[in-house]
Amino acid sequence: MKIKLLGFTVFLLIILLVVGCAGIHTENTAKYDVFPFRNPSYQDREFSDVGMRFTNAFAAACARHSLDVTIVMNDQFDSSKNTNVQDALAYAMDSGADSIIYGYVTKWENKPTLLTSERDFAGLSIFVRSVESGEIVFSSEIQAHGIRYSRHGSGISQLGLDYTGARVNLVQSLSTEMAEKFLGM
């Protein structure tokens, strides 16, 4: 009887420990200034709206995970030129941000077919710097080929290939993937 009671007591303590730990909520309280990602270019042609599309999608994906992100939009910083890191750090210091995020759309190949006008290849590279030290605390590049499909949903690709699922916007998909990588998910 004492063994059963001891076992039950240990079981209850473990339950209380798990429930207690589940109540501990650690939040990232850092503030991030996101500067417009650089537009891609190919053979002296700049794809003018692509960088901001990725910037907006990345910031939205971060915000969905409760990160305090602010997109910096002014004449000094835009997606038609590289982000001047020293100017961005000074701006972020004045705005009270803890880190800056900037990046580049490294690849953007548009290969429309008769069946689809989806982007065929894209790449995204981001850098996160501490405002206090100026050091890079995170950097990553990801790329995606072809039309992307989610693992959820149903349907068949217009190309007749073995892809199934709902079609995913490549900008949204890559930006979300990058945000999740940044967040360690």
Side-chain angles (χ1 to χ4, degrees), residues 13-33:
L13 288 173
I14 290 172
I15 296 277
L16 289 173
L17 179 64
V18 169
V19 170
C21 289
I24 297 172
H25 187 67
T26 57
E27 286 188 22
N28 183 348
T29 58
K31 181 179 180 220
Y32 298 88
D33 277 350

Side-chain angles (χ1 to χ4, degrees):
M1 181 70 171
K2 286 184 181 184
I3 293 175
K4 283 187 178 182
L5 184 58
L6 180 62
F8 183 73
T9 304
V10 170
F11 175 74
L12 282 178
L13 288 173
I14 290 172
I15 296 277
L16 289 173
L17 179 64
V18 169
V19 170
C21 289
I24 297 172
H25 187 67
T26 57
E27 286 188 22
N28 183 348
T29 58
K31 181 179 180 220
Y32 298 88
D33 277 350
V34 181
F35 292 84
F37 297 165
R38 178 72 164 98
N39 289 328
S41 61
Y42 178 72
Q43 295 181 346
D44 298 326
R45 178 176 176 231
E46 183 176 314
F47 298 97
S48 61
D49 69 331
V50 176
M52 273 318 290
R53 288 172 49 202
F54 274 95
T55 305
N56 290 330
F58 175 79
C62 288
R64 279 192 300 273
H65 294 287
S66 301
L67 245 55
D68 183 2
V69 292
T70 302
I71 298 175
V72 176
M73 295 179 59
N74 65 34
D75 293 336
Q76 183 180 4
F77 304 105
D78 66 53
S79 57
S80 68
K81 57 187 175 191
N82 292 336
T83 300
N84 180 309
V85 174
Q86 295 308 314
D87 290 347
L89 288 169
Y91 180 94
M93 189 172 284
D94 289 344
S95 75
D98 299 298
S99 297
I100 64 169
I101 301 173
Y102 60 99
Y104 308 89
V105 179
T106 58
K107 306 279 187 207
W108 187 253
E109 294 181 25
N110 182 8
K111 295 182 179 179
T113 67
L114 293 174
L115 300 174
T116 179
S117 62
E118 292 289 324
R119 289 358 180 205
D120 196 43
F121 186 66
L124 178 62
S125 179
I126 70 162
F127 300 88
V128 180
R129 287 184 185 259
S130 164
V131 171
E132 185 178 318
S133 69
E135 297 293 318
I136 294 175
V137 296
F138 176 86
S139 67
S140 184
E141 180 175 359
I142 57 174
Q143 298 178 351
H145 297 273
I147 300 169
R148 298 187 75 172
Y149 289 83
S150 73
R151 291 183 290 255
H152 310 291
S154 61
I156 297 176
S157 144
Q158 290 178 341
L159 298 176
L161 302 175
D162 293 332
Y163 296 112
T164 59
R167 183 175 294 208
V168 175
N169 177 306
L170 190 55
V171 172
Q172 298 294 326
S173 175
L174 268 177
S175 299
T176 299
E177 188 176 330
M178 181 62 85
E180 290 172 351
K181 191 171 186 178
F182 168 57
L183 294 167
M185 302 176 95

